[in-house]
């Protein structure tokens, strides 16, 4: 538990550093275009950012995934049964009306 708290504190510190760096970089649009570089540099920067974001994601444990999956399946089955019963009831009422 303490390890997770330390990790979140470190991540907050890193994000604050990134924000402060962005604040310090108040440049004109021409300078920003030069800073981006060519298409390959921009693609590399994009994938680097994706990798960084994936490290920040809190992935659920196997136990949590099983619980979420079971809850989802139960929800889908119950909704399916509900709409099936509504369909049957409406079909019966329609046949009685004719």
């Amino acid at each position: 538990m303490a390890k997770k708290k330390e990790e979140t504190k470190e991540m907050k510190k890193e994000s604050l550093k990134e924000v402060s760096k962005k604040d310090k970089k108040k440049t004109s649009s021409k300078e920003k275009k030069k800073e981006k570089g060519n298409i390959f540099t921009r693609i590399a920067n994009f994938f680097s950012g994706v990798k960084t974001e994936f490290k920040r994601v809190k992935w659920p444990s196997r136990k949590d995934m099983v619980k979420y999956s079971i809850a989802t399946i139960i929800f889908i089955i119950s909704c399916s049964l509900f709409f099936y019963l509504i369909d049957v009831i409406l079909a019966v009422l329609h046949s009685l009306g004719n």
Side-chain angles (χ1 to χ4, degrees), residues 13-65:
K13 286 178 185 178
E14 288 176 10
S15 62
L16 288 174
K17 287 179 185 177
E18 290 175 10
V19 169
S20 64
K21 286 179 185 177
K22 288 179 183 178
D23 288 342
K24 290 178 183 177
K25 284 189 174 182
K26 298 289 181 180
T27 58
S28 68
S29 60
K30 288 182 182 179
E31 290 175 352
K32 285 181 182 179
K33 287 181 183 177
K34 289 179 184 177
E35 189 177 276
K36 287 184 181 178
N38 63 16
I39 186 76
F40 298 110
T41 306
R42 294 193 328 234
I43 291 172
N45 287 340
F46 171 76
F47 284 111
S48 175
V50 169
K51 185 178 177 183
T52 303
E53 289 299 319
F54 265 113
K55 288 180 182 178
R56 293 180 182 175
V57 173
K58 182 193 175 289
W59 298 101
S61 67
R62 183 181 178 99
K63 184 179 176 182
D64 288 340
M65 282 305 298

Side-chain angles (χ1 to χ4, degrees), residues 69-90:
S69 299
I70 290 171
T72 302
I73 291 169
I74 290 172
F75 180 75
I76 290 170
I77 291 172
S78 62
C79 286
S80 300
L81 288 174
F82 172 76
F83 287 113
Y84 176 75
L85 289 175
I86 295 295
D87 187 44
V88 168
I89 291 169
L90 290 176

